[in-house]
Amino acid sequence: MSAEGIRPKGNRLFLKKSVAQIQKEAAKSELKRTLGPINLMSLGIGAIIGAGIFVLTGQVAAANAGPAIMLSFVVAGIACALAGLCYAELASTMPVSGSAYTYAYGTLGEVFAWIMGWLLVLEYGVAASTVAVGWSGYVVSILHDFGLSESIFPTIQYAGGEGPQWATPLVQLVQDAGATSFPLTGTFNLVAAIGIAAVCSLLVLGVSESASINNIIVVIKIVVLLTFIAVGIQYINPANWTPFIPEPTGQPGQFGVGGIFRGAAIIFFAYVGFEAVSTAAAEAKNPSKDVPIGILGALIVCTLIYMAVAAVMTGVVPYLELASPAPVAVAIDRMGLEWANVPLASAAGGQLNLISFLIKIGAITGLSSVMLVLCYGQTRIFYTMARDGLLPKAFAIVHPKFRTPWIGTIVLGILIAIAAAFLPISILGDLVSLGTATAFAIVCLSVIFLRIKHPEMERPFKVPGGIFTAVLGILACLFLASQNLIPMFQHAAEDNPLPLMLLGGYAAVGAVIYIIYGFWNSKLAKGIDITEDVKLESAAEAFGRGVDNKKDD
């Protein structure tokens, strides 16, 4: 029906989609169930291995955990595993597109669904900005290998440091003598903005990744990291691991045990991608079996790789020198692999190091694919929310020729590019990790709600430990979220309110949009059955297939 139907009863803010309705949306999808456990695990690894390892590892080692960043990865991985089990139960029960947003709509109600959707925007959109900043660091590094960086990106000085012009954010975070400041650099990260623009242009034109292409990219990234580990082991100086847990500076989260937990909270960002596995539940051959294998398998593989890369990185380069958007490049260059040099007149010093070049190319390729996946996921969430009436219809309009949601892609691309151009990677990483940890806690809460309210529901996969495990997941995720939130309040009280202002402003914008638009246009509140109201079979199909989005009104 395209007209308004029977309006649901109950508290307006806590209206819920019935599980039957969500399962109907899944059943209406024409997506083929072709993904097995290996493809799902590969999808997870492909989305997880990105800026977390190629970018944030150096930042966290230098500012928070030192060599003990290896333990930070373990802490973050355990929290993600607890949340991942909850994702797996929900995905097996409701294998539908929209992932955590849809789960929240079916268990906790519309206001929680909106909060989850807005958190996912923070997770995907700001994560894409963070990846873009790291991507720009590797682009500049590889141009430096060819002797081009100084002519294109001359080094500029700013309060507290220096960086390449047009590849350094407008706002920079500087920590000196325990004080934190955010000086303006007088430039902005044009390279990162160009990267986002290129990815969004491809999405507008209808470029999507197939499972086979993703598998190839995953192999490239793993080969790059394994090569880095294999080569780097020979250049490790054990003295760089001493002390393994640096003495705390007295500032919260700077080294010591507190630094390990603060580091875990920041690099929680590194595990964002595993949610992509639950998002693909609607296309899994056997969701109850394959999705848990995909989620937990990807987490285990990536945690082991992360720990090994972090061990080599901090063993080759003193941890205080790793504060770079491209720490893998810093470590490779520090190794001085003269045996891999080949003559090249245009290269710096007349020689090009093949190992360094290939690893940086692999990093750029990997980060490019992650940017594409994150921007794709961002637009999918907006499409799903627009389909439910919580966001303007413009985000669900498809291009008549390219058959993609072009307006939403362009708008989001502009916002993501602005964030990448103007904000430092440290602030972006904090925002992503905070949003991700909070979203994961809501997913765990959804499992508890369903276990209590619908104990009779068929659950092809059940979380081991049930409600107890879900509660542990909530506590772990909220603890890590607090490790990002508390420093924001401390900075606001002591030196600079910028991080808290950004978070508060983001939350305020979300609240205003819901109050002004979403509350009044919710199709669930109007009693509209979206599976009949639109010709699209599902949000995923709208994205992947570009079906025309015309109403029956």
Side-chain angles (χ1 to χ4, degrees):
M1 57 186 168
S2 58
E4 294 186 6
I6 299 175
R7 298 173 186 269
K9 297 179 180 179
N11 188 308
R12 173 64 185 81
L13 293 177
F14 297 97
L15 290 178
K16 303 178 184 68
K17 286 187 177 183
S18 68
V19 175
Q21 184 178 358
I22 294 175
Q23 290 175 336
K24 178 183 177 183
E25 293 175 22
K28 293 278 286 184
S29 174
E30 293 182 353
L31 293 173
K32 294 181 179 179
R33 293 190 177 277
T34 59
L35 300 180
I38 300 301
N39 279 333
L40 289 170
M41 190 184 301
S42 176
L43 179 66
I45 294 172
I48 292 172
I49 294 181
I53 191 64
F54 285 117
V55 181
L56 288 182
T57 307
Q59 303 276 335
V60 172
N64 304 105
I69 186 177
M70 289 177 269
L71 299 181
S72 296
F73 278 120
V74 174
V75 173
I78 291 173
C80 283
L82 293 170
L85 289 170
C86 293
Y87 263 104
E89 178 170 316
L90 293 175
S92 71
T93 305
M94 297 178 284
V96 66
S97 299
S99 187
Y101 162 78
T102 304
Y103 303 155
Y105 218 154
T107 56
L108 305 177
E110 184 173 284
V111 69
F112 279 95
W114 172 267
I115 293 172
M116 176 63 82
W118 205 239
L119 286 172
L120 290 175
V121 171
L122 188 65
E123 178 181 328
Y124 284 108
V126 182
S129 299
T130 311
V131 175
V133 174
W135 181 85
S136 71
Y138 283 96
V139 169
V140 172
S141 179
I142 206 167
L143 288 176
H144 175 75
D145 290 343
F146 284 93
L148 300 174
S149 61
E150 283 300 321
S151 59
I152 302 177
F153 307 107
T155 300
I156 60 170
Q157 305 290 327
Y158 55 84
E162 63 180 24
Q165 188 175 25
W166 310 124
T168 298
L170 175 66
V171 179
Q172 195 63 246
L173 183 147
V174 175
Q175 293 181 323
D176 184 27
T180 300
S181 61
F182 299 90
L184 300 182
T185 62
T187 185
F188 63 94
N189 200 331
L190 177 63
V191 179
I194 290 174
I196 292 295
V199 165
C200 289
S201 297
L202 289 175
L203 289 176
V204 168
L205 294 175
V207 173
S208 62
E209 291 183 301
S210 67
S212 58
I213 293 178
N214 179 70
N215 289 344
I216 294 173
I217 294 175
V218 168
V219 169
I220 291 174
K221 287 195 280 193
I222 290 180
V223 168
V224 164
L225 292 177
L226 292 181
T227 301
F228 173 78
I229 294 168
V231 173
I233 286 176
Q234 307 169 55
Y235 296 87
I236 288 176
N237 179 5
N240 290 332
W241 289 336
T242 303
F244 184 71
I245 302 178
E247 288 295 320
T249 63
Q251 293 295 315
Q254 289 187 6
F255 308 119
V257 175
I260 294 175
F261 288 121
R262 171 69 172 133
I266 297 172
I267 59 176
F268 199 79
F269 168 88
Y271 292 96
V272 168
F274 90 79
E275 190 190 36
V277 181
S278 69
T279 303
E283 297 156 84
K285 293 178 181 178
N286 184 356
S288 63
K289 177 183 177 182
D290 297 345
V291 171
I293 293 175
I295 289 176
L296 298 179
L299 286 175
I300 292 171
V301 170
C302 290
T303 299
L304 293 175
I305 292 177
Y306 282 175
M307 292 177 66
V309 170
V312 171
M313 195 179 295
T314 55
V316 172
V317 182
Y319 63 89
L320 291 174
E321 300 177 24
L322 286 170
S324 164
V328 173
V330 172
I332 280 290
D333 291 340
R334 183 64 60 88
M335 293 175 195
L337 308 175
E338 296 183 1
W339 53 268
N341 287 337
V342 295
L344 184 64
S346 61
Q351 291 185 318
L352 176 69
N353 189 282
L354 285 180
I355 296 295
S356 174
F357 175 74
L358 291 176
I359 287 179
K360 292 174 185 177
I361 285 293
I364 291 172
T365 301
L367 292 175
S368 298
S369 71
V370 173
M371 281 196 293
L372 187 66
V373 170
L374 290 173
C375 290
Y376 175 93
Q378 165 85 89
T379 318
R380 169 182 278 190
I381 295 298
F382 262 51
Y383 180 90
T384 307
M385 296 176 73
R387 177 198 62 178
D388 289 334
L390 301 183
L391 283 176
K393 298 178 182 178
F395 290 101
I397 294 177
V398 298
H399 193 281
K401 178 180 179 181
F402 301 124
R403 302 288 186 176
T404 55
W406 64 287
I407 295 178
T409 302
I410 292 174
V411 171
L412 291 169
I414 292 173
L415 295 177
I416 294 171
I418 291 174
F422 295 118
L423 296 179
I425 197 168
S426 52
I427 290 180
L428 292 172
D430 279 357
L431 291 174
V432 174
S433 297
L434 176 60
T436 303
T438 307
F440 287 1
I442 294 178
V443 168
C444 296
L445 182 60
S446 298
V447 168
I448 295 174
F449 178 89
L450 280 182
R451 286 290 186 105
I452 295 174
K453 287 289 186 179
H454 298 283
E456 79 290 347
M457 182 184 298
E458 181 182 356
R459 294 173 172 83
F461 174 81
K462 295 183 178 180
V463 175
I467 291 178
F468 177 73
T469 300
V471 170
L472 286 180
I474 292 174
L475 295 176
C477 291
L478 290 183
F479 172 74
L480 291 181
S482 71
Q483 296 297 301
N484 285 319
L485 187 60
I486 291 174
M488 291 184 184
F489 281 101
Q490 291 173 330
H491 286 315
E494 297 173 2
D495 41 49
N496 198 301
L498 179 61
L500 190 61
M501 288 174 60
L502 288 171
L503 180 64
Y506 181 80
V509 169
V512 168
I513 293 175
Y514 179 69
I515 293 170
I516 293 178
Y517 188 90
F519 183 87
W520 304 101
N521 293 277
S522 166
K523 292 183 180 179
L524 182 64
K526 293 180 178 181
I528 297 176
D529 186 341
I530 64 169
T531 61
E532 297 179 12
D533 180 56
V534 295
K535 291 183 178 180
L536 292 172
E537 298 296 340
S538 71
E541 185 181 2
F543 227 87
R545 301 170 182 268
V547 180
D548 198 11
N549 184 33
K550 294 181 180 178
K551 306 263 181 176
D552 292 331
D553 295 345

